[in-house]
Structures are given as structure tokens and as C-alpha cells.
Amino acid sequence: MRHVTLGNRQRTYASAILGACILTLCSLAAADTPDEQTLQTPHPFQAQYRLEIRGWPSATITHTLSNEGQHWLSSMNFAVAVARGEERSRFSIDDATTHSLLYNSSYSLLGVGDSYQLNESDISSLDRQAALFDLSRRAGREGCTESAPCDIEFVDHRGRDEHFQYYVDQQTVNGSTTISVPAGEFETTRVTLIDKEKPDRHLQINFHPDWPGLILTAEYQKEGRRQTSLTLTHFNPAGDSAP
């Protein structure tokens, strides 16, 4: 693992653009699933999201999920005038589980930045890219409700353990719910994540139930005020029909 230190404000901006999507917005993890339950088969895709952060310029996030034979690769990246960043995760899956193999992240501002790598032995649960995929794949199948949320965990970009709770919107459990975004109208599974140590903050994500890893919208709120939002603007399925 290596990194080059940024100044405080440079670090805030560079990490905010990618981190708001991947660390703050997308830092998810797996809940237990019964062994006999088969999860949704993934499909390769490429998507673009509009990322809006309060107090910062908006940015475009490109998200790609691809199959590499024995494993899958999920990557997210952005580039604006003076900053860029990327996260990549290789992971394997079976019918009911996801297993992290290798994780890389980097971001820079004005040519100065940080870079991290986690090997399989560094990841006690799931890295945050693999965890995003895994949660979207299993959301709505565990009976996690607002009154009885599920505990979940993941490791951040430095390999440190993080703990959250989540539940699925009851309306999406009871029947089909759709959402309209610039990329079109899609069915959705709505998930809310809560930081157990910071109950004034929560994250709501709309996933597509048939495309693991695909985010339709996401919104992070602190003290009742929206801090960050993510919206699907373009969707390009690979090898399958569009949802």
C-alpha cells in the first residue's frame, strides 16, 4: 500500500468527487444470505452517473462491470479539469456469495494524489466496490426492515473495517416500483443505509433488481440536508437487452 500526501483542501476536493460516490455513497457490504438462496446472475454493463456534491462542481462517474472469465471486474472513474480518480475491484462470485480478490484506488488533484492497493489477504469482508455489487445483488432478499435492519460491514480504501445497518423500502418489497432518471425509466429496489455511530446521516440508493451493481439514483443526507447525489444518465448493457 502506498500513498503521497495531499494538502487538506486538495485532499477534500479530490476524494470528495470519487469518494462521495464510492466511499460515502457506495461504501456498502454484505449481509448474510441463506445458503440455499440463489442470487441474481450479473450482466456486464457500462453506465454513467452525474455526481453532485454540495459546494463543489458536478462530475461524471463512469462505471463498468465486466466478466474476466474466472472473476468479475468493477471499476469507477472520473476526470474533471484539475482532478481525476479511479477504483477497481476484482472479485469472484457463486450463487450466493461474493469474494474480493484485489482492490485498487487512486485520485489526484493538479498531478498530486493518493494511491492504495488491497490484496485478498488485506480484505477481511469485502472491498467497497465488490460490496456495492454484492448488496445490490441481495437487497430485498433478507427481510431487512426499518424496524429490524440488517448489520453489514466492509473495508474502506485503507483496509479499515466499517459497520453500517440497512433496510429495504417496504414498497419495493411488496410490489414493483419504478423510477425515472435521464437514462430512462427502470424498476427499482430502494435501500437505506444508516451509520450506527452517526444516526443523523443516511444514504438512500435505488438499485435495478435485475442488473447487480447498477445504481439508478443515490442520495446522502446529513442532518436532514442533502450533501451528495448520484443519478444514472447513460446505460449501455453488454450482451443483453436493456432493462
Side-chain angles (χ1 to χ4, degrees):
M1 182 184 299
R2 63 183 178 87
H3 68 276
V4 179
T5 302
L6 291 170
N8 288 341
R9 185 164 177 80
Q10 291 176 321
R11 181 188 300 277
T12 298
Y13 180 64
S15 63
I17 294 178
L18 188 62
C21 172
I22 301 171
L23 176 57
T24 305
L25 273 179
C26 305
S27 292
L28 315 177
D32 292 334
T33 299
D35 290 341
E36 67 272 11
Q37 185 171 5
T38 300
L39 301 179
Q40 176 67 39
T41 301
H43 311 284
F45 67 80
Q46 184 179 79
Q48 288 188 337
Y49 310 113
R50 182 177 65 250
L51 176 64
E52 296 180 343
I53 307 169
R54 188 169 65 86
W56 297 100
S58 62
T60 296
I61 300 286
T62 299
H63 181 197
T64 302
L65 179 70
S66 55
N67 181 262
E68 299 193 334
Q70 298 300 311
H71 61 265
W72 289 79
L73 173 67
S74 178
S75 67
M76 287 187 177
N77 64 78
F78 79 94
V80 292
V82 296
R84 65 180 61 247
E86 182 178 24
E87 281 201 357
R88 298 165 63 90
S89 169
R90 285 182 167 84
F91 53 88
S92 60
I93 66 170
D94 58 27
D95 287 343
T97 62
T98 302
H99 182 74
S100 292
L101 301 173
L102 181 66
Y103 165 87
N104 299 92
S105 69
S106 63
Y107 57 83
S108 65
L109 182 66
L110 299 173
V112 180
D114 291 349
S115 180
Y116 300 90
Q117 177 172 302
L118 300 177
N119 297 314
E120 184 177 4
S121 60
D122 301 318
I123 304 170
S124 58
S125 50
L126 288 174
D127 68 80
R128 60 196 187 194
Q129 275 288 318
L132 167 68
F133 167 86
D134 189 77
L135 179 62
S136 69
R137 193 179 181 212
R138 66 180 63 248
R141 297 171 180 264
E142 310 86 0
C144 306
T145 63
E146 186 171 4
S147 59
C150 294
D151 290 311
I152 59 177
E153 63 182 33
F154 65 97
V155 299
D156 70 6
H157 59 299
R158 296 176 184 264
R160 299 171 298 193
D161 292 330
E162 298 283 356
H163 303 275
F164 283 76
Q165 291 183 320
Y166 91 95
Y167 62 89
V168 176
D169 184 275
Q170 194 61 39
Q171 184 177 357
T172 64
V173 173
N174 293 337
S176 177
T177 300
T178 61
I179 187 172
S180 294
V181 293
E185 184 170 325
F186 303 95
E187 292 185 6
T188 181
T189 300
R190 182 172 300 161
V191 176
T192 298
L193 288 106
I194 305 165
D195 187 335
K196 293 192 292 185
E197 297 181 355
K198 300 173 182 177
D200 64 323
R201 306 178 187 188
H202 73 272
L203 166 64
Q204 188 175 82
I205 304 178
N206 281 289
F207 291 115
H208 194 290
D210 297 329
W211 290 78
L214 181 63
I215 301 170
L216 303 176
T217 68
E219 182 173 295
Y220 174 66
Q221 291 193 3
K222 177 182 177 181
E223 298 177 346
R225 186 175 184 181
R226 186 178 71 179
Q227 302 293 313
T228 312
S229 66
L230 193 73
T231 306
L232 180 67
T233 56
H234 298 282
F235 175 62
N236 295 309
D240 281 282
S241 299

